[in-house]
Amino acid sequence: MAEPAIDRAKVAALAEERLDWRFKAVPPAAWGLTVREYLATGPTLDRLATPLLTLDAGALAHNLGTMAAWCAKAGVALAPHGKTTMAPALWQAQLDAGAYGITLANLPQLHVARAFGVREVLLANSLLDPGGLAWLAGELDRDPEFRFSCWVDSVAAVELMDRALRAAGAGRPVEVLVELGGPGGRTGARDVSSARAVAEAVAAAPTLRLAGLGGYEAALARDASPEGLSAVESYLAGLVELYFMLSAADLFTPGERVLVSAGGSAYFDQVARALAPLGGQDTTVVLRSGAYLAHDDGFYRGISPLVRATDEEPLRAALHGWARVLSQPEPGLALLDGGKRDFPHDLGLPEPQLAGRHLSGPELGGPARPLTGSITALNDQHAFLRDSDVAVGEVVRLGVSHPCTAFDKWTLIPVLDDVTADRPRVVDLVRTFF
């Protein structure tokens, strides 16, 4: 029987964590109860305080299935970027839906993944810390089912990795992918000839194994304009060229897997068209999209291929913020009790969607109603809502932009059965580890 992709018992044990003041989403009435005990009381949204961030169960399920089906149809594997949520329960759902593994970005995130027994990890970054490499070598030797690969983009980095792994007495070679970047981008060798030199250095290092190549196309484009899409196409053509160059030079180990990885959450359709033809008996094309699961009402709503370039039902926003009107100090201005410490703001400010009885209690009454107006600024703990018809004490539902900077503000996130219901029920609490 195949080993589980994640330690399901450890994920299940999160339901036994006892709730208290450490979790800002949890009301005092739940303190002292375990997650399981609290959910058994049948809590509803109106029992929670503001500010608040929630997930919608229906949207999560829809997005999970939509992306899995899309990848299967496109002929690519998916190792969703775990840094988006840092939530093992959500990682488990993605793995159960067919994900190849989990992508991570740094050593602390890798520690979390191993604590929950994740078996297949792609580190979309270089790992050069000597202590971290010694720990990794121990993990690989201790667990033969653990598969790990990371990026490298220079001969100097190869030499540092090899030296640290030799000093640690590493047994299993560490799999590395040569990273191709581009001018003005982030990390990555800046041209295919430089990337080949890195690959040759990896092949010569006894503690490493050249396991493929990868990179990040969204570092070279920030929108879906013709110019942005053209930059992505050009970059992907370079990855294809590099793949055939390394294959022709016999730098990949015969019979061992080869990974070709690209694809964030903005251009994975282009990535699949360009790279899927490389897939075969020994080569697996791996997307790393992570934001698709929660999606958003901002940046990804405007750029995701499963919104802008799909004939099927698009992704749905699963994340919502909730904030209460505290003050109306001047005409046309309302101050809400949620700010930068609660909601993402780096790729767009929250947008007001509804106001009314959600969370407000019967004394404010009335059905939820659509809101006009806009959030024009955030302070640490306040949002400036302008030109909106709200009353002091009402609660506003907010759409948010950029999931990657939403989850990290909350250690526990309530999951609602249906965010559109008159009285949504809390059906789960998602634990994050940032």
Side-chain angles (χ1 to χ4, degrees), residues 264-318:
S265 297
Y267 307 104
F268 55 80
D269 55 338
Q270 291 177 272
V271 172
R273 285 195 297 270
L275 301 186
L278 304 181
Q281 183 175 358
D282 295 326
T283 299
T284 301
V285 175
V286 183
L287 302 184
R288 304 188 309 275
S289 315
Y292 77 91
L293 182 59
H295 196 49
D296 70 8
D297 281 309
F299 179 75
Y300 286 110
R301 178 179 60 191
I303 203 169
S304 169
L306 287 177
V307 176
R308 63 174 170 81
T310 182
D311 295 328
E312 302 176 3
E313 188 175 356
L315 298 175
R316 303 176 191 168

Side-chain angles (χ1 to χ4, degrees), residues 141-192:
D141 291 344
R142 180 184 63 81
D143 183 358
E145 299 298 325
F146 176 36
R147 299 298 302 268
F148 171 87
S149 57
C150 66
W151 290 359
V152 67
D153 70 353
S154 70
V155 173
V158 172
E159 293 172 347
L160 288 170
M161 289 188 71
D162 182 51
R163 187 182 311 148
L165 291 166
R166 285 172 184 262
R172 289 171 59 189
V174 172
E175 297 184 359
V176 295
L177 277 61
V178 173
E179 181 191 1
L180 182 67
R186 205 160 61 186
T187 54
R190 287 320 199 225
D191 55 65
V192 293

Side-chain angles (χ1 to χ4, degrees), residues 94-141:
Q94 292 170 305
L95 291 165
D96 287 349
Y100 174 87
I102 297 295
T103 297
L104 297 167
N106 60 31
L107 185 61
Q109 293 172 9
L110 180 58
H111 291 159
V112 175
R114 290 303 292 156
F116 284 88
V118 177
R119 295 284 187 179
E120 180 80 44
V121 173
L122 170 58
L123 190 74
N125 217 337
S126 295
L127 179 56
L128 302 183
D129 175 74
L133 286 166
W135 172 83
L136 173 65
E139 284 291 289
L140 289 169
D141 291 344

Side-chain angles (χ1 to χ4, degrees), residues 8 158 196 202 220 259 273 275 318 338 420 423 432:
R8 303 180 70 86
V158 172
R196 174 171 177 160
V202 172
L220 304 172
L259 304 181
R273 285 195 297 270
L275 301 186
T420 67
R423 198 180 187 203
T432 68

Side-chain angles (χ1 to χ4, degrees), residues 56-405:
D56 180 67
L60 287 174
H62 169 80
N63 296 344
L64 192 69
T66 297
M67 188 64 175
W70 189 94
C71 289
K73 184 177 180 180
V76 294
L78 174 65
H81 213 317
K83 58 95 176 172
T84 300
T85 68
M86 287 306 295
L90 296 181
W91 295 350
Q92 178 175 294
Q94 292 170 305
L95 291 165
D96 287 349
Y100 174 87
I102 297 295
T103 297
L104 297 167
N106 60 31
L107 185 61
Q109 293 172 9
L110 180 58
H111 291 159
V112 175
R114 290 303 292 156
F116 284 88
V118 177
R119 295 284 187 179
E120 180 80 44
V121 173
L122 170 58
L123 190 74
N125 217 337
S126 295
L127 179 56
L128 302 183
D129 175 74
L133 286 166
W135 172 83
L136 173 65
E139 284 291 289
L140 289 169
D141 291 344
R142 180 184 63 81
D143 183 358
E145 299 298 325
F146 176 36
R147 299 298 302 268
F148 171 87
S149 57
C150 66
W151 290 359
V152 67
D153 70 353
S154 70
V155 173
V158 172
E159 293 172 347
L160 288 170
M161 289 188 71
D162 182 51
R163 187 182 311 148
L165 291 166
R166 285 172 184 262
R172 289 171 59 189
V174 172
E175 297 184 359
V176 295
L177 277 61
V178 173
E179 181 191 1
L180 182 67
R186 205 160 61 186
T187 54
R190 287 320 199 225
D191 55 65
V192 293
S193 60
S194 298
R196 174 171 177 160
V198 177
E200 290 171 344
V202 172
T207 61
L208 305 176
R209 184 180 78 80
L210 183 64
L213 61 150
Y216 182 50
E217 70 290 338
L220 304 172
R222 298 297 293 172
D223 56 35
S225 66
E227 294 78 13
L229 298 179
S230 177
V232 170
E233 292 293 340
S234 178
Y235 170 74
L236 294 171
L239 273 179
V240 172
E241 179 185 354
L242 179 60
Y243 173 82
F244 285 114
M245 178 185 291
L246 300 184
S247 297
D250 294 325
L251 292 175
F252 299 126
T253 306
E256 294 283 357
R257 69 174 187 176
V258 175
L259 304 181
V260 179
S261 179
S265 297
Y267 307 104
F268 55 80
D269 55 338
Q270 291 177 272
V271 172
R273 285 195 297 270
L275 301 186
L278 304 181
Q281 183 175 358
D282 295 326
T283 299
T284 301
V285 175
V286 183
L287 302 184
R288 304 188 309 275
S289 315
Y292 77 91
L293 182 59
H295 196 49
D296 70 8
D297 281 309
F299 179 75
Y300 286 110
R301 178 179 60 191
I303 203 169
S304 169
L306 287 177
V307 176
R308 63 174 170 81
T310 182
D311 295 328
E312 302 176 3
E313 188 175 356
L315 298 175
R316 303 176 191 168
L319 278 171
H320 296 90
W322 307 83
R324 195 176 304 270
V325 180
L326 296 182
S327 174
Q328 290 181 301
E330 59 188 62
L333 174 64
L335 277 300
L336 311 182
D337 66 354
K340 293 180 181 178
R341 302 296 180 90
D342 310 298
F343 308 129
H345 55 90
D346 58 319
L347 287 178
L349 295 174
E351 63 172 34
Q353 295 180 335
L354 299 172
R357 68 185 179 190
H358 287 86
L359 276 169
S360 297
E363 69 279 3
L364 291 173
R369 65 186 188 283
L371 280 186
T372 57
S374 61
I375 301 292
T376 58
L378 293 182
N379 291 164
D380 281 357
Q381 311 290 178
H382 292 90
F384 289 70
L385 174 60
R386 295 189 181 273
D387 303 321
S388 192
D389 179 22
V390 292
V392 171
E394 280 193 305
V395 168
V396 175
R397 192 184 87 189
L398 301 166
V400 298
S401 179
H402 198 197
C404 296
T405 52

